[in-house]
Amino acid sequence: MKSFESPDETMTLKNAKGECVQLGERKFWLATAEPGWKFSRDNGPDMGTEWCPSPHRLYMLSGQMTVEMEDGTRKTIEKGDVALLPPGHDAWVEGDEQVVWFEEELDG
């Protein structure tokens, strides 16, 4: 058993952070994004891309986040939603509430 109170790894990004616990071969993340955060503007340039290259299987704990795929398809996910996001998406916080989600790390 592990706790996010003492994560195995912490990742700090511009306007966002992630805390990870590892159980065996699996990694679980508790992620937080601040109002105004947008992947393509805040994190993409450091990764050399405007589209997130990672897949995500997540459960939204609070806030609202809009996800846009490369083909222009958009969905807003909010508290209580479960989503599977393939690589090739942008995402941003909607409104002035912090967004918090839980996800299991997936192989790209």
XYZ file of all heavy atoms in Angstrom:
857
model
N 0.850 -1.168 0.000
C 0.000 0.000 0.000
C 0.897 1.233 0.000
O 1.942 1.241 0.627
C -0.906 0.001 1.225
C -1.857 1.152 1.207
S -2.988 1.302 2.617
C -3.537 -0.341 2.889
N 0.470 2.256 -0.722
C 1.202 3.520 -0.801
C 0.213 4.658 -0.568
O -0.990 4.460 -0.603
C 1.834 3.693 -2.187
C 2.862 2.649 -2.564
C 4.238 3.104 -2.176
C 5.284 2.126 -2.651
N 6.190 2.669 -3.609
N 0.753 5.874 -0.406
C -0.082 7.052 -0.204
C 0.470 8.224 -1.001
O 1.697 8.387 -1.111
C -0.105 7.420 1.284
O -0.734 8.662 1.481
N -0.428 9.052 -1.528
C 0.000 10.281 -2.188
C 0.510 11.304 -1.171
O 1.073 12.326 -1.552
C -1.127 10.875 -3.036
C -1.360 10.118 -4.312
C -2.501 9.360 -4.484
C -0.427 10.152 -5.335
C -2.712 8.656 -5.656
C -0.614 9.453 -6.512
C -1.773 8.699 -6.669
N 0.337 11.025 0.126
C 0.899 11.884 1.164
C 2.425 11.846 1.136
O 3.083 12.796 1.557
C 0.384 11.468 2.547
C -1.106 11.648 2.730
C -1.557 13.095 2.631
O -0.868 13.975 3.164
O -2.607 13.334 2.001
N 2.983 10.742 0.649
C 4.437 10.633 0.479
C 4.710 9.942 -0.861
O 5.029 8.762 -0.915
C 5.075 9.875 1.646
O 4.464 8.621 1.809
N 4.571 10.701 -1.966
C 4.728 10.123 -3.301
C 6.153 9.642 -3.569
O 7.107 10.130 -2.972
C 4.353 11.269 -4.241
C 4.558 12.509 -3.451
C 4.312 12.135 -2.016
N 6.257 8.681 -4.485
C 7.563 8.184 -4.911
C 8.256 9.161 -5.854
O 9.478 9.173 -5.958
C 7.400 6.838 -5.631
C 6.867 5.763 -4.707
O 7.312 5.691 -3.552
O 5.988 4.997 -5.146
N 7.459 9.957 -6.546
C 7.991 10.887 -7.549
C 7.069 12.093 -7.620
O 5.857 11.960 -7.490
C 8.019 10.168 -8.901
C 8.534 10.936 -10.063
C 8.480 10.116 -11.366
O 8.327 8.888 -11.323
O 8.583 10.756 -12.425
N 7.653 13.272 -7.819
C 6.870 14.492 -8.016
C 7.377 15.177 -9.278
O 8.583 15.305 -9.478
C 6.999 15.445 -6.810
O 6.515 14.771 -5.647
C 6.191 16.710 -7.020
N 6.443 15.591 -10.125
C 6.780 16.296 -11.366
C 6.141 17.679 -11.289
O 4.927 17.790 -11.109
C 6.238 15.533 -12.579
C 6.535 16.203 -13.891
S 5.737 15.396 -15.328
C 6.122 13.691 -15.056
N 6.951 18.714 -11.397
C 6.433 20.079 -11.366
C 6.568 20.670 -12.763
O 7.656 20.680 -13.336
C 7.202 20.935 -10.344
O 7.108 20.299 -9.060
C 6.627 22.328 -10.258
N 5.452 21.139 -13.289
C 5.401 21.756 -14.609
C 4.861 23.176 -14.447
O 4.357 23.524 -13.384
C 4.482 20.954 -15.528
C 4.811 19.476 -15.684
C 3.664 18.738 -16.333
C 6.080 19.311 -16.493
N 4.909 23.960 -15.503
C 4.349 25.305 -15.449
C 2.839 25.199 -15.247
O 2.144 24.601 -16.068
C 4.672 26.067 -16.730
C 4.200 27.498 -16.694
C 4.611 28.252 -17.939
C 4.086 29.663 -17.884
N 4.370 30.385 -19.111
N 2.342 25.727 -14.131
C 0.918 25.743 -13.779
C 0.313 24.369 -13.539
O -0.916 24.220 -13.555
C 0.092 26.494 -14.830
C 0.424 27.964 -14.867
O 0.582 28.596 -13.825
N 0.567 28.513 -16.053
N 1.133 23.343 -13.343
C 0.619 21.990 -13.099
C 1.656 21.178 -12.329
O 2.838 21.517 -12.308
C 0.292 21.302 -14.422
N 1.175 20.127 -11.673
C 2.103 19.216 -11.003
C 1.485 17.828 -10.976
O 0.281 17.648 -11.110
C 2.439 19.680 -9.588
C 1.329 19.501 -8.589
C 1.800 19.825 -7.187
C 0.680 19.571 -6.187
N 1.100 19.738 -4.824
N 2.355 16.838 -10.813
C 1.912 15.464 -10.693
C 2.668 14.774 -9.585
O 3.860 15.024 -9.391
N 1.968 13.942 -8.845
C 2.583 13.145 -7.792
C 2.303 11.684 -8.109
O 1.176 11.325 -8.452
C 2.008 13.523 -6.438
C 2.313 14.974 -6.083
C 1.552 15.457 -4.881
O 0.311 15.328 -4.882
O 2.202 15.959 -3.964
N 3.332 10.856 -8.014
C 3.245 9.468 -8.451
C 3.539 8.511 -7.303
O 4.451 8.749 -6.514
C 4.259 9.247 -9.576
S 4.342 7.558 -10.168
N 2.753 7.440 -7.261
C 3.090 6.303 -6.404
C 3.196 5.086 -7.314
O 2.460 4.962 -8.297
C 2.063 6.059 -5.270
C 2.074 7.208 -4.288
C 0.677 5.806 -5.798
N 4.141 4.231 -7.018
C 4.366 3.040 -7.831
C 4.051 1.804 -7.002
O 4.529 1.656 -5.878
C 5.806 2.985 -8.341
C 6.020 1.853 -9.312
C 7.276 2.015 -10.144
O 7.921 3.049 -10.136
N 7.612 0.979 -10.876
N 3.234 0.928 -7.584
C 2.902 -0.353 -6.972
C 3.330 -1.434 -7.953
O 2.730 -1.574 -9.011
C 1.402 -0.462 -6.688
C 0.828 0.525 -5.679
C -0.686 0.442 -5.642
C 1.404 0.265 -4.299
N 4.385 -2.136 -7.629
C 4.926 -3.122 -8.563
C 5.352 -2.425 -9.832
O 6.106 -1.451 -9.800
N 4.848 -2.887 -10.967
C 5.175 -2.308 -12.274
C 4.269 -1.141 -12.653
O 4.470 -0.510 -13.680
C 5.081 -3.388 -13.361
C 6.051 -4.548 -13.169
C 7.493 -4.107 -13.343
O 7.790 -3.359 -14.289
O 8.325 -4.519 -12.504
N 3.249 -0.852 -11.842
C 2.255 0.165 -12.212
C 2.501 1.477 -11.483
O 2.838 1.501 -10.304
C 0.861 -0.340 -11.892
C 0.545 -1.592 -12.675
C -0.816 -2.050 -12.372
N -1.547 -2.107 -13.639
C -2.698 -2.692 -13.768
N -3.305 -3.223 -12.736
N -3.288 -2.735 -14.941
N 2.280 2.579 -12.239
C 2.415 3.916 -11.678
C 1.049 4.599 -11.698
O 0.328 4.529 -12.685
C 3.396 4.767 -12.502
C 4.834 4.375 -12.327
C 5.736 5.356 -13.056
C 7.202 5.072 -12.771
N 8.061 6.103 -13.379
N 0.736 5.264 -10.593
C -0.512 5.997 -10.450
C -0.185 7.446 -10.127
O 0.685 7.725 -9.297
C -1.363 5.384 -9.326
C -1.714 3.955 -9.577
C -0.901 2.940 -9.118
C -2.853 3.624 -10.293
C -1.214 1.608 -9.354
C -3.177 2.291 -10.542
C -2.356 1.289 -10.066
N -0.891 8.363 -10.804
C -0.605 9.791 -10.675
C -1.805 10.539 -10.115
O -2.947 10.264 -10.490
C -0.269 10.387 -12.041
C 1.046 9.942 -12.565
C 1.307 8.822 -13.307
C 2.290 10.588 -12.375
N 2.644 8.741 -13.594
C 3.277 9.813 -13.033
C 2.682 11.753 -11.718
C 4.619 10.174 -13.052
C 4.019 12.107 -11.745
C 4.964 11.316 -12.406
N -1.535 11.494 -9.254
C -2.503 12.487 -8.824
C -2.005 13.791 -9.429
O -0.906 14.256 -9.097
C -2.557 12.575 -7.297
C -3.607 13.517 -6.730
C -5.012 13.077 -7.142
C -3.483 13.584 -5.219
N -2.782 14.335 -10.354
C -2.338 15.511 -11.111
C -3.216 16.714 -10.789
O -4.424 16.573 -10.566
C -2.388 15.213 -12.602
N -2.589 17.883 -10.787
C -3.274 19.139 -10.497
C -2.871 20.162 -11.547
O -1.685 20.299 -11.858
C -2.868 19.663 -9.102
O -3.118 18.642 -8.139
C -3.629 20.907 -8.739
N -3.862 20.864 -12.091
C -3.594 21.948 -13.042
C -4.320 23.198 -12.551
O -5.479 23.133 -12.137
C -4.060 21.571 -14.443
N -3.627 24.305 -12.597
C -4.160 25.573 -12.104
C -4.997 26.270 -13.173
O -4.792 26.040 -14.377
C -3.009 26.488 -11.672
C -2.157 25.924 -10.554
C -2.928 25.676 -9.274
O -3.880 26.436 -8.983
O -2.583 24.727 -8.550
N -5.926 27.145 -12.758
C -6.674 27.936 -13.741
C -5.705 28.652 -14.682
O -4.672 29.159 -14.254
C -7.448 28.937 -12.868
C -7.608 28.226 -11.563
C -6.322 27.443 -11.389
N -6.018 28.628 -15.962
C -5.158 29.237 -16.970
C -4.191 28.262 -17.624
O -3.598 28.577 -18.653
N -4.023 27.054 -17.046
C -3.108 26.065 -17.629
C -3.618 25.581 -18.984
O -4.801 25.347 -19.175
C -2.956 24.865 -16.698
C -2.183 23.734 -17.319
C -0.839 23.613 -17.394
C -2.720 22.563 -17.953
N -0.495 22.440 -18.040
C -1.639 21.783 -18.383
C -4.015 22.120 -18.199
C -1.805 20.577 -19.050
C -4.195 20.916 -18.866
C -3.089 20.157 -19.281
N -2.688 25.454 -19.922
C -2.967 24.870 -21.239
C -1.725 24.104 -21.666
O -0.619 24.655 -21.670
C -3.310 25.948 -22.268
C -3.737 25.378 -23.603
C -4.225 26.455 -24.557
C -4.757 25.811 -25.833
N -5.272 26.819 -26.769
N -1.907 22.823 -22.014
C -0.760 21.983 -22.359
C 0.086 22.599 -23.466
O 1.304 22.710 -23.334
C -1.211 20.571 -22.778
C -0.049 19.756 -23.283
C 0.778 19.095 -22.396
C 0.255 19.706 -24.637
C 1.887 18.389 -22.849
C 1.354 19.007 -25.099
C 2.161 18.348 -24.200
N -0.536 22.974 -24.590
C 0.238 23.436 -25.752
C 1.049 24.693 -25.468
O 2.084 24.904 -26.091
C -0.686 23.665 -26.950
O -1.656 24.645 -26.652
N 0.616 25.509 -24.540
C 1.330 26.745 -24.209
C 2.300 26.547 -23.040
O 3.422 27.043 -23.063
C 0.314 27.843 -23.865
C 0.959 29.169 -23.511
C -0.028 30.186 -22.939
N -0.670 29.651 -21.737
C -1.995 29.521 -21.604
N -2.821 29.883 -22.555
N -2.491 29.032 -20.480
N 1.859 25.807 -22.014
C 2.642 25.723 -20.782
C 3.633 24.564 -20.742
O 4.667 24.668 -20.097
C 1.704 25.609 -19.574
C 0.883 26.871 -19.358
O 1.296 27.937 -19.835
O -0.175 26.786 -18.713
N 3.314 23.454 -21.372
C 4.171 22.269 -21.284
C 4.696 21.798 -22.625
O 5.796 21.271 -22.709
C 3.431 21.126 -20.586
C 2.826 21.563 -19.275
O 1.631 21.501 -19.082
N 3.651 22.058 -18.364
N 3.923 21.972 -23.683
C 4.312 21.512 -25.010
C 5.647 22.048 -25.505
O 6.469 21.285 -26.023
N 5.912 23.367 -25.361
C 7.191 23.887 -25.862
C 8.415 23.198 -25.245
O 9.390 22.923 -25.939
C 7.137 25.373 -25.481
C 5.681 25.696 -25.484
C 5.021 24.449 -24.919
N 8.344 22.871 -23.948
C 9.460 22.182 -23.303
C 9.621 20.759 -23.822
O 10.712 20.181 -23.735
C 9.277 22.144 -21.781
C 9.392 23.525 -21.153
O 10.029 24.416 -21.767
O 8.845 23.715 -20.055
N 8.525 20.189 -24.353
C 8.557 18.827 -24.890
C 8.762 18.821 -26.406
O 8.849 17.767 -27.018
C 7.252 18.104 -24.550
C 7.024 17.963 -23.052
S 5.393 17.282 -22.673
C 5.653 15.577 -23.115
N 8.794 20.023 -27.012
C 8.986 20.128 -28.454
C 7.763 19.744 -29.256
O 7.877 19.297 -30.390
N 6.564 19.923 -28.677
C 5.335 19.559 -29.369
C 4.188 20.442 -28.907
O 4.243 21.010 -27.808
C 4.969 18.077 -29.114
O 3.804 17.740 -29.847
C 4.739 17.806 -27.642
N 3.156 20.592 -29.733
C 1.968 21.303 -29.264
C 0.858 20.329 -28.906
O -0.161 20.710 -28.342
C 1.497 22.340 -30.279
C 0.743 21.815 -31.464
C 0.291 22.935 -32.391
O 1.113 23.373 -33.199
O -0.876 23.354 -32.307
N 1.027 19.044 -29.237
C 0.042 18.004 -28.927
C 0.654 17.010 -27.947
O 1.773 16.540 -28.158
C -0.391 17.270 -30.202
C -0.974 18.188 -31.218
C -0.343 18.689 -32.315
C -2.288 18.756 -31.225
N -1.174 19.530 -33.012
C -2.381 19.583 -32.357
C -3.386 18.651 -30.383
C -3.541 20.287 -32.679
C -4.539 19.354 -30.694
C -4.613 20.160 -31.828
N -0.080 16.681 -26.895
C 0.438 15.752 -25.897
C 0.674 14.385 -26.542
O -0.235 13.818 -27.154
C -0.551 15.624 -24.736
S 0.026 14.500 -23.451
N 1.879 13.840 -26.398
C 2.208 12.566 -27.034
C 1.827 11.339 -26.196
O 2.011 10.207 -26.644
C 3.725 12.649 -27.193
C 4.163 13.472 -26.019
C 3.058 14.483 -25.815
N 1.284 11.560 -24.994
C 1.000 10.447 -24.081
C -0.486 10.110 -24.030
O -1.324 11.009 -24.057
C 1.441 10.815 -22.656
O 2.804 11.121 -22.627
N -0.809 8.826 -23.894
C -2.205 8.447 -23.650
C -2.524 8.625 -22.164
O -1.618 8.567 -21.321
C -2.242 6.969 -24.043
C -0.865 6.484 -23.725
C 0.056 7.649 -24.015
N -3.787 8.864 -21.850
C -4.211 9.025 -20.460
C -5.523 8.278 -20.233
O -6.439 8.374 -21.037
C -4.443 10.503 -20.111
C -3.259 11.364 -20.329
N -2.241 11.482 -19.413
C -2.912 12.142 -21.377
C -1.328 12.320 -19.879
N -1.706 12.727 -21.072
N -5.587 7.558 -19.117
C -6.832 6.958 -18.625
C -7.026 7.609 -17.267
O -6.250 7.366 -16.341
C -6.689 5.445 -18.500
C -7.884 4.768 -17.903
C -7.796 3.255 -17.901
N -6.465 2.768 -17.559
C -6.000 1.587 -17.969
N -6.717 0.807 -18.737
N -4.792 1.198 -17.599
N -8.045 8.471 -17.161
C -8.130 9.301 -15.971
C -9.527 9.363 -15.385
O -10.513 9.081 -16.057
C -7.612 10.712 -16.255
C -8.297 11.528 -17.358
C -9.454 12.325 -16.795
C -7.295 12.446 -18.010
N -9.557 9.754 -14.121
C -10.795 10.003 -13.386
C -10.701 11.410 -12.817
O -9.748 11.729 -12.085
C -10.973 8.985 -12.257
C -12.151 9.290 -11.365
C -13.452 9.165 -11.841
C -11.962 9.725 -10.068
C -14.534 9.456 -11.037
C -13.041 10.015 -9.245
C -14.329 9.888 -9.740
O -15.398 10.182 -8.945
N -11.668 12.262 -13.178
C -11.657 13.661 -12.744
C -12.193 13.782 -11.323
O -13.316 13.345 -11.033
C -12.515 14.509 -13.684
C -11.930 14.651 -15.077
S -10.495 15.729 -15.129
C -11.277 17.301 -14.898
N -11.399 14.390 -10.454
C -11.794 14.596 -9.063
C -12.424 15.962 -8.833
O -13.283 16.111 -7.971
C -10.581 14.416 -8.146
C -9.973 13.011 -8.166
C -8.624 13.010 -7.472
C -10.922 12.027 -7.513
N -11.980 16.983 -9.585
C -12.562 18.315 -9.450
C -12.236 19.162 -10.672
O -11.279 18.893 -11.396
C -12.049 19.014 -8.183
O -10.675 19.301 -8.286
N -13.055 20.195 -10.866
C -12.834 21.141 -11.949
C -13.321 20.658 -13.301
O -13.952 19.604 -13.417
N -13.020 21.455 -14.320
C -13.383 21.145 -15.700
C -12.171 21.351 -16.595
O -11.458 22.346 -16.456
C -14.504 22.054 -16.206
C -15.821 21.844 -15.518
C -16.895 22.706 -16.144
O -16.623 23.739 -16.763
N -18.133 22.286 -16.002
N -11.975 20.419 -17.524
C -10.863 20.485 -18.460
C -11.396 20.162 -19.853
O -12.116 19.179 -20.023
C -9.777 19.482 -18.057
C -8.581 19.469 -18.974
S -7.168 18.533 -18.295
C -7.857 16.942 -17.918
N -11.076 21.000 -20.807
C -11.452 20.735 -22.193
C -10.270 20.081 -22.889
O -9.121 20.485 -22.712
C -11.865 22.024 -22.924
O -13.039 22.537 -22.283
C -12.173 21.762 -24.387
N -10.585 19.056 -23.671
C -9.583 18.314 -24.433
C -9.931 18.466 -25.908
O -11.081 18.290 -26.304
C -9.584 16.820 -24.038
C -8.579 16.057 -24.865
C -9.312 16.661 -22.555
N -8.931 18.818 -26.720
C -9.115 18.945 -28.159
C -8.150 17.997 -28.860
O -6.953 18.012 -28.580
C -8.856 20.377 -28.635
C -9.055 20.542 -30.126
C -8.894 21.979 -30.581
O -8.428 22.829 -29.798
O -9.225 22.247 -31.745
N -8.698 17.177 -29.764
C -7.886 16.257 -30.545
C -7.338 16.987 -31.779
O -7.862 18.031 -32.169
C -8.712 15.042 -30.965
C -9.302 14.261 -29.787
S -8.100 13.745 -28.554
C -7.033 12.711 -29.532
N -6.337 16.414 -32.392
C -5.739 17.026 -33.589
C -6.754 17.235 -34.703
O -6.604 18.148 -35.507
C -4.575 16.162 -34.102
C -3.348 16.254 -33.218
C -2.199 15.426 -33.733
O -2.210 14.200 -33.507
O -1.287 16.008 -34.369
N -7.803 16.414 -34.751
C -8.824 16.566 -35.800
C -9.855 17.647 -35.469
O -10.802 17.860 -36.211
C -9.531 15.235 -36.073
C -10.412 14.749 -34.931
O -10.566 15.466 -33.911
O -10.963 13.633 -35.042
N -9.678 18.348 -34.322
C -10.573 19.431 -33.935
C -11.712 19.013 -33.012
O -12.438 19.872 -32.504
N -11.892 17.729 -32.776
C -12.924 17.246 -31.865
C -12.626 17.737 -30.456
O -11.484 17.634 -29.993
C -12.970 15.697 -31.862
O -13.152 15.238 -33.190
C -14.077 15.181 -30.959
N -13.647 18.277 -29.775
C -13.484 18.793 -28.418
C -14.495 18.160 -27.474
O -15.640 17.936 -27.836
C -13.726 20.303 -28.362
C -12.617 21.130 -28.838
C -12.908 22.584 -28.555
N -11.865 23.403 -29.132
C -11.795 24.710 -29.006
N -12.725 25.357 -28.319
N -10.810 25.383 -29.558
N -14.053 17.916 -26.247
C -14.912 17.431 -25.172
C -14.474 18.110 -23.892
O -13.274 18.288 -23.657
C -14.761 15.925 -24.971
C -15.541 15.075 -25.916
C -16.937 14.907 -25.394
C -17.581 13.758 -26.142
N -18.963 13.755 -26.144
N -15.427 18.477 -23.062
C -15.107 18.991 -21.734
C -15.402 17.889 -20.739
O -16.486 17.310 -20.740
C -15.909 20.264 -21.420
O -15.543 21.271 -22.372
C -15.602 20.784 -20.024
N -14.411 17.581 -19.915
C -14.583 16.564 -18.884
C -14.594 17.265 -17.529
O -13.944 18.298 -17.345
C -13.505 15.464 -18.978
C -12.096 16.036 -18.997
C -13.719 14.611 -20.205
C -10.994 14.986 -19.075
N -15.367 16.706 -16.609
C -15.541 17.354 -15.311
C -15.631 16.326 -14.203
O -15.618 15.117 -14.458
C -16.770 18.254 -15.325
C -18.026 17.541 -15.728
C -19.177 18.501 -16.003
O -18.951 19.638 -16.445
O -20.315 18.079 -15.777
N -15.735 16.819 -12.980
C -15.776 15.980 -11.788
C -16.684 14.767 -12.001
O -17.814 14.906 -12.462
C -16.278 16.791 -10.600
C -16.352 16.008 -9.317
C -16.860 16.859 -8.185
C -16.991 16.007 -6.934
N -17.456 16.812 -5.803
N -16.129 13.581 -11.712
C -16.882 12.340 -11.828
C -16.733 11.645 -13.164
O -17.109 10.482 -13.290
N -16.172 12.327 -14.177
C -16.000 11.725 -15.501
C -14.763 10.833 -15.536
O -13.761 11.119 -14.887
C -15.852 12.792 -16.590
C -17.144 13.532 -16.888
O -18.225 13.058 -16.469
O -17.067 14.587 -17.540
N -14.875 9.777 -16.324
C -13.748 8.890 -16.628
C -13.465 9.072 -18.107
O -14.391 9.113 -18.917
C -14.102 7.419 -16.318
C -12.982 6.495 -16.732
C -14.421 7.254 -14.839
N -12.202 9.203 -18.485
C -11.865 9.453 -19.888
C -10.624 8.657 -20.287
O -9.729 8.425 -19.476
C -11.613 10.944 -20.110
N -10.603 8.260 -21.545
C -9.426 7.651 -22.162
C -9.011 8.576 -23.291
O -9.755 8.763 -24.255
C -9.744 6.258 -22.697
C -8.585 5.536 -23.390
C -7.406 5.356 -22.444
C -9.055 4.183 -23.904
N -7.850 9.204 -23.141
C -7.354 10.166 -24.121
C -6.186 9.551 -24.872
O -5.171 9.212 -24.274
C -6.886 11.445 -23.425
C -7.876 12.100 -22.464
C -7.223 13.315 -21.806
C -9.154 12.482 -23.175
N -6.316 9.416 -26.181
C -5.196 8.897 -26.959
C -4.133 9.978 -27.153
O -4.397 11.168 -26.915
C -5.849 8.528 -28.294
C -7.020 9.434 -28.411
C -7.492 9.683 -27.001
N -2.940 9.602 -27.582
C -1.925 10.610 -27.902
C -2.460 11.557 -28.980
O -3.324 11.182 -29.770
C -0.765 9.781 -28.456
C -0.976 8.403 -27.934
C -2.460 8.238 -27.816
N -1.944 12.780 -28.994
C -2.333 13.748 -30.011
C -3.479 14.626 -29.562
O -4.439 14.829 -30.293
N -3.391 15.154 -28.355
C -4.442 16.031 -27.843
C -3.826 17.241 -27.151
O -2.679 17.213 -26.727
C -5.351 15.279 -26.854
C -4.627 14.733 -25.667
N -4.012 13.505 -25.668
C -4.382 15.281 -24.451
C -3.440 13.299 -24.490
N -3.644 14.367 -23.734
N -4.617 18.290 -27.070
C -4.298 19.450 -26.254
C -5.331 19.455 -25.134
O -6.378 18.818 -25.245
C -4.395 20.737 -27.086
C -3.748 21.945 -26.414
O -3.138 21.788 -25.334
O -3.871 23.048 -26.975
N -5.067 20.140 -24.042
C -6.013 20.217 -22.936
C -5.779 21.514 -22.185
O -4.659 22.024 -22.149
C -5.835 19.024 -21.999
N -6.860 22.040 -21.594
C -6.751 23.253 -20.806
C -7.832 23.291 -19.737
O -8.877 22.668 -19.857
C -6.813 24.501 -21.673
C -8.044 24.616 -22.532
C -9.233 25.200 -22.181
C -8.199 24.141 -23.870
N -10.116 25.117 -23.229
C -9.513 24.469 -24.285
C -7.360 23.478 -24.757
C -10.000 24.154 -25.540
C -7.861 23.162 -26.010
C -9.154 23.495 -26.391
N -7.541 24.044 -18.673
C -8.487 24.231 -17.572
C -9.567 25.202 -18.020
O -9.268 26.255 -18.587
C -7.766 24.775 -16.313
C -8.768 25.142 -15.224
C -6.768 23.753 -15.799
N -10.813 24.834 -17.754
C -11.953 25.725 -18.005
C -12.310 26.419 -16.694
O -12.397 25.767 -15.653
C -13.170 24.924 -18.487
C -13.068 24.383 -19.886
C -13.164 25.452 -20.961
O -13.561 26.605 -20.659
O -12.840 25.143 -22.116
N -12.488 27.721 -16.740
C -12.928 28.451 -15.565
C -11.808 28.757 -14.587
O -10.624 28.659 -14.908
N -12.223 29.103 -13.375
C -11.246 29.547 -12.375
C -11.073 28.545 -11.233
O -10.564 28.902 -10.172
C -11.628 30.933 -11.838
C -13.010 30.947 -11.188
O -13.677 29.898 -11.132
O -13.419 32.028 -10.730
N -11.482 27.304 -11.446
C -11.302 26.263 -10.443
C -10.143 25.352 -10.827
O -10.008 24.947 -11.987
C -12.582 25.423 -10.318
C -12.516 24.365 -9.242
C -13.785 23.521 -9.149
O -14.788 23.852 -9.802
O -13.744 22.511 -8.432
N -9.314 25.033 -9.856
C -8.217 24.086 -10.047
C -8.796 22.741 -10.509
O -9.854 22.324 -10.063
C -7.507 23.926 -8.711
C -6.298 23.045 -8.720
C -5.719 22.909 -7.316
O -6.374 22.363 -6.441
N -4.514 23.418 -7.126
N -8.084 22.075 -11.402
C -8.494 20.754 -11.889
C -7.594 19.705 -11.242
O -6.369 19.857 -11.210
C -8.386 20.677 -13.433
C -8.663 19.275 -13.930
C -9.346 21.666 -14.067
N -8.219 18.654 -10.720
C -7.479 17.565 -10.095
C -7.999 16.258 -10.688
O -9.211 16.061 -10.802
C -7.662 17.555 -8.555
C -6.877 16.411 -7.926
C -7.244 18.893 -7.955
N -7.071 15.392 -11.104
C -7.472 14.093 -11.631
C -6.493 13.017 -11.181
O -5.371 13.281 -10.783
C -7.626 14.114 -13.145
C -6.370 14.268 -13.938
C -5.608 13.269 -14.462
C -5.728 15.486 -14.337
N -4.528 13.790 -15.150
C -4.588 15.146 -15.097
C -6.017 16.837 -14.124
C -3.741 16.109 -15.627
C -5.166 17.791 -14.666
C -4.047 17.419 -15.405
N -6.979 11.784 -11.254
C -6.213 10.588 -10.911
C -6.062 9.781 -12.183
O -7.013 9.674 -12.961
C -6.988 9.784 -9.847
C -6.391 8.430 -9.589
C -5.315 8.288 -8.735
C -6.925 7.302 -10.199
C -4.769 7.030 -8.491
C -6.387 6.045 -9.959
C -5.315 5.916 -9.105
N -4.878 9.244 -12.421
C -4.709 8.389 -13.593
C -3.670 7.306 -13.360
O -2.768 7.470 -12.539
C -4.372 9.196 -14.840
C -2.992 9.802 -14.891
C -2.746 10.504 -16.218
O -3.071 11.717 -16.292
O -2.257 9.858 -17.154
N -3.853 6.222 -14.087
C -2.849 5.177 -14.122
C -1.994 5.426 -15.345
O -2.524 5.656 -16.437
C -3.488 3.790 -14.218
C -2.466 2.678 -14.255
C -3.079 1.293 -14.344
O -4.313 1.164 -14.389
O -2.295 0.332 -14.394
N -0.676 5.410 -15.179
C 0.214 5.655 -16.304
C 0.078 4.527 -17.323
O 0.079 3.339 -16.963
C 1.655 5.743 -15.825
C 2.620 6.142 -16.911
C 4.004 6.404 -16.338
O 4.176 7.383 -15.591
O 4.914 5.608 -16.659
N -0.081 4.909 -18.578
C -0.192 3.950 -19.676
C 1.047 4.007 -20.530
O 1.679 5.059 -20.651
C -1.406 4.296 -20.556
C -2.769 4.285 -19.869
C -3.841 4.821 -20.813
C -3.123 2.892 -19.409
N 1.392 2.906 -21.153
C 2.490 2.905 -22.114
C 2.028 3.613 -23.354
O 0.879 3.480 -23.767
C 2.918 1.475 -22.467
C 3.539 0.772 -21.273
O 4.156 1.451 -20.432
O 3.387 -0.461 -21.177
N 2.909 4.445 -23.954
C 2.573 5.179 -25.163
C 2.409 4.249 -26.288
O 1.747 4.338 -27.219
